[in-house]
Amino acid sequence: MDTQMYALTIPTLIALWGMTKGEAGILGTAVLIMAALGGWVAGILSDRYGRVRILQVTIAWFSLFTFLSAFTDSFWQLLITRSLQGIGFGGEWAVGAVLISETINPQLRGRVVGALQAGWAIGYGIAVLLTTLLFNYMEPDTAWRVLFAMGLLPALLVLWIRRNIEEAPVYARERAKAQVERVSIWEVFSGPSRATTFKAILLTFGIYGGNYVMITWLPAYLKLVLNLSINNVGGYLAVNILGSFTGAFLNGWMADAFGRRKTFMIIACLQAIAVCIYTMAPINLAVTLVLGFVLGTLQSGTAAGTGAYLAELFPTRIRGAAQGLCGNAGRAIGAVMPTLVGVIGAKTELGLAMGICAGIAYMVVVVAALMLPETRGRDLSKVE
């Protein structure tokens, strides 16, 4: 919810502040770059101090800086608060994915961890609903500030987590060993882990590079290119979000049934085709609406598989650091894609820029999946 608030306010900030498309792209990219740093640091800390404790810190962190974004008055001020928000956002994803991966039965891991991606769709949907309501009943220069202020609400989850979430047994056992032998934070770049680390980063770069093109620019595309009203934009995004909710479960079922690698390749190929048709083909609004559901399904379908897959690639002693680095470094490198869309979009049609950048990114997913091992059903306590 907190992350998608920015994408939904891009058209308003462009109008109120006179921001260029390039500046809007930089704001979207900055949070993803900082998420890489936050993911790696939070992952390292979670390996040393516990998944649950660091999870609470990251949620409180990104909620606070979303709230503070409501009080910014310029591009540079928002750049600072959004960048700091990205640290918590990247850390929360990394630590949360590791925690649930270590808790779930290996035979169900793909479905359960993939299903968690449905939470993204729910949060996105809440953000769209809040945006639609606020912009209907308030002036734009007030509505966007109230929207960001409501980003403080997820911090309340910390209270529930403190009472109800415990560490996974596999981590508790490994942590006892780590008290004797301290693991280097650079182990993800050394020995047999090095090649896996760089291949995993390539995979997540393709996934998030393509996804963030659509996540960042789709609201602006619907409003600025298709000339939809704020209410119609909300409706079209609702269909896309419903597809995202469905895709999270689709990926998990496919990953457990057919394997991680094959699932990534199939969904990425379908997504590249769908994006190009959506943004570049001369389709009418009815087809755009239906295809938006397909886009959401496939978009969530690629991202949903990363949580379980990255956890299965690395041993417990460095799993948090590796998941945080690989997942969020891919986000950071992929973050150049929204900026690239803004740069290309200044010289050509926005839809063409989106289609080219996203299509290329999804083909990178296929290449990376071909180079990585299959891990379906792997016992995390036995990963070396």
Side-chain angles (χ1 to χ4, degrees), residues 106 152 178 309:
L152 189 63
Y309 191 49

Coordinates of all heavy atoms in Angstrom, one line a residue, residues 106 152 178 309:
P106 N 8.5 -28.0 2.8 CA 9.1 -27.8 1.4 C 8.1 -28.2 0.3 O 8.2 -27.5 -0.8 CB 10.3 -28.8 1.4 CG 10.6 -28.9 2.9 CD 9.3 -28.8 3.6
L152 N 1.2 5.7 7.5 CA 1.7 5.3 8.9 C 1.0 4.1 9.4 O 1.5 3.4 10.3 CB 1.6 6.5 9.8 CG 2.2 6.4 11.2 CD1 3.7 6.3 11.0 CD2 1.9 7.6 12.0
A178 N 26.0 -20.3 15.0 CA 26.7 -19.0 14.6 C 27.3 -18.3 15.8 O 28.2 -17.5 15.7 CB 25.7 -18.1 14.0
Y309 N 12.1 -19.3 -4.1 CA 13.3 -19.7 -4.9 C 14.6 -19.2 -4.4 O 15.6 -19.9 -4.3 CB 13.1 -19.2 -6.4 CG 14.1 -19.8 -7.4 CD1 14.3 -21.2 -7.4 CD2 14.8 -19.0 -8.3 CE1 15.2 -21.8 -8.3 CE2 15.7 -19.6 -9.2 CZ 15.9 -21.0 -9.2 OH 16.7 -21.5 -10.1

